[in-house]
């Protein structure tokens, strides 16, 4: 396949996934800039100007029979030469132990290598996880029950960090924010522009690791404007229920000014209000949203 044919295959698969998983809770393109580049290349039949990989999240719900529905997330990075090369897919869920998650991802990668080289395969991966994930949930059940205190303890605090930056324009920083949130299984959003806003939520240790990395980058000004630490009981799906955001995504609320650098704060307030976080707006900007 030519580079243009590879790009066309990527775009066709994204459109198929969007039709099969119609809500943002099910399917999300985390980097809209990369999607815009892809569409532009396909439309103009040239790869000039394309440098960003596509990063998407697919969330599927599984009925484990023992509890309510469990959410499993597939974080997928599509290389520029996909589907000639395999995508990078990582499966995560709060109900999976570290060993269960590692084994599941190893087996999924083996399946993709044996069955999907050269073909689009995100949907195949989703169906494989849907069929097999429950096997991994039960695999360590007996050993976990007998090892007691030697088992890996869950992080029993959900932390939500509201981070303020003087501005976020740099493309590499924006990529780091998306990739680190994916790596650490954090949900929330980033809003590039002036000012820049980042919200991350998840296990306390993961949020603190994210902030440790972020603050080491070169910023004119960056600080945690507000922090929430919310205890939970450590039960399998309780952390997920306490999240305000289902995934991590980049949000652009353009005010339609030159270069799109300044954000439409009315849109931001509406977005926060819809997530039950409208009170944070005044903490950020010192005025009530409307």
């Amino acid at each position: 396949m030519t580079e243009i044919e590879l790009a066309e295959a990527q775009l066709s698969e994204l459109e198929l996934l969007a039709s099969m998983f119609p809500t943002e809770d099910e399917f999300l393109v985390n980097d809209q800039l990369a999607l815009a580049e892809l569409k532009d290349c396909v439309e103009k039949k040239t790869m000039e100007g394309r440098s960003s990989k596509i990063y998407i999240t697919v969330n599927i719900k599984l009925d484990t029979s023992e509890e309510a529905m469990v959410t499993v997330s597939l974080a997928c990075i599509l290389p520029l030469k996909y589907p000639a090369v395999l995508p990078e897919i990582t499966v995560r869920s709060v109900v999976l132990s570290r060993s269960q998650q590692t084994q599941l991802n190893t087996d999924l990668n083996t399946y993709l290598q044996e069955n999907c080289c050269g073909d689009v395969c995100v949907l195949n991966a989703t169906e494989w996880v849907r069929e097999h994930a429950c096997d991994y949930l039960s695999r360590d059940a007996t050993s976990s029950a007998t090892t007691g205190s030697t088992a890996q303890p869950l992080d029993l605090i959900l932390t939500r960090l509201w981070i303020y930056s003087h501005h976020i324009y740099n493309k590499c920083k924006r990529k780091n924010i998306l990739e680190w949130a994916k790596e650490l299984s954090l949900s929330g959003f980033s809003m590039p522009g002036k000012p820049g806003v980042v919200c991350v939520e998840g296990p306390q240790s993961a949020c603190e690791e994210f902030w440790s990395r972020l603050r080491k980058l070169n910023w004119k000004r960056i600080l945690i404007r507000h922090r929430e630490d919310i205890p939970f009981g450590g039960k399998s799906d309780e952390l997920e229920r306490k999240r305000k955001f289902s995934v991590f995504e980049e949000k652009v609320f353009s005010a339609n000014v030159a270069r799109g650098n300044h954000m439409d704060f009315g849109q931001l307030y509406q977005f926060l209000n819809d997530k039950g976080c409208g009170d944070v707006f005044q903490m950020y900007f010192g005025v009530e949203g409307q």
Side-chain angles (χ1 to χ4, degrees):
M1 298 173 75
T2 66
E3 288 185 330
I4 290 298
E5 288 173 334
L6 294 173
E8 289 172 342
Q10 287 189 30
L11 187 57
S12 294
E13 182 178 41
L14 292 174
E15 291 171 347
L16 175 62
L17 289 167
S19 68
M20 297 186 68
F21 303 96
T23 70
E24 283 194 356
D25 287 342
E26 297 173 292
F27 173 71
L28 184 72
V29 179
N30 301 71
D31 187 345
Q32 292 294 325
L33 182 63
L35 178 60
E37 286 182 3
L38 174 62
K39 288 181 175 178
D40 191 56
C41 288
V42 170
E43 181 180 342
K44 295 179 179 178
K45 301 291 185 182
T46 175
M47 293 299 292
E48 185 176 349
R50 188 181 182 206
S51 60
S52 303
K53 301 175 183 179
I54 296 291
Y55 167 30
I56 62 176
T57 301
V58 181
N59 294 317
I60 58 176
K61 293 188 179 297
L62 304 176
D63 186 354
T64 63
S65 75
E66 296 180 359
E67 301 194 18
M69 300 296 283
V70 166
T71 299
V72 177
S73 297
L74 288 82
C76 313
I77 297 178
L78 310 185
L80 298 183
K81 293 185 178 181
Y82 171 78
V85 298
L86 288 173
E88 303 167 32
I89 300 180
T90 304
V91 182
R92 291 187 175 90
S93 175
V94 69
V95 301
L96 289 168
S97 69
R98 183 173 298 178
S99 62
Q100 290 169 335
Q101 187 167 288
T102 298
Q103 190 60 55
L104 189 157
N105 281 294
T106 298
D107 293 347
L108 172 61
N109 189 55
T110 299
Y111 166 78
L112 295 176
Q113 289 177 340
E114 293 177 351
N115 297 278
C116 299
C117 286
D119 295 319
V120 293
C121 61
V122 174
L123 184 59
N124 287 17
T126 301
E127 292 304 313
W128 187 91
V129 171
R130 193 187 300 277
E131 291 176 12
H132 296 90
C134 287
D135 297 338
Y136 296 84
L137 291 174
S138 60
R139 184 169 295 181
D140 290 348
T142 303
S143 60
S144 296
T146 56
T147 52
S149 61
T150 62
Q152 181 75 21
L154 288 174
D155 204 333
L156 300 183
I157 296 177
L158 178 138
T159 293
R160 187 175 299 116
L161 300 180
W162 297 92
I163 300 167
Y164 174 93
S165 171
H166 179 270
H167 64 266
I168 303 176
Y169 296 143
N170 185 278
K171 194 173 178 180
C172 290
K173 289 179 180 175
R174 290 165 66 180
K175 280 183 173 295
N176 282 337
I177 289 169
L178 288 166
E179 290 174 0
W180 291 342
K182 163 190 171 287
E183 176 192 341
L184 297 168
S185 299
L186 300 175
S187 51
F189 73 97
S190 64
M191 185 188 80
K194 183 179 181 180
V197 174
V198 180
C199 172
V200 291
E201 61 178 5
Q204 185 179 67
S205 58
C207 287
E208 290 175 348
E209 172 64 21
F210 179 90
W211 172 241
S212 175
R213 297 181 191 182
L214 190 67
R215 66 189 300 188
K216 290 175 183 176
L217 301 179
N218 186 27
W219 300 96
K220 182 173 183 179
R221 185 184 184 211
I222 193 167
L223 55 92
I224 296 176
R225 183 73 83 184
H226 180 55
R227 174 173 178 150
E228 301 171 64
D229 288 309
I230 305 164
F232 70 99
K235 295 182 181 178
S236 59
D237 219 22
E238 192 172 347
L239 182 143
E240 296 301 321
R241 291 195 297 270
K242 289 186 178 294
R243 291 183 190 261
K244 298 284 189 181
F245 306 89
S246 58
V247 295
F248 190 92
E249 59 184 319
E250 183 175 273
K251 302 293 291 187
V252 178
F253 304 108
S254 176
N256 296 319
V257 296
R259 293 178 59 201
N261 287 345
H262 294 272
M263 297 297 106
D264 185 322
F265 292 111
Q267 291 184 46
L268 171 61
Y269 173 71
Q270 187 60 55
F271 171 72
L272 292 174
N273 205 41
D274 290 344
K275 298 293 185 180
C277 306
D279 57 324
V280 174
F281 189 90
Q282 187 170 14
M283 295 180 191
Y284 263 108
F285 307 111
V287 296
E288 291 186 4
Q290 50 183 301

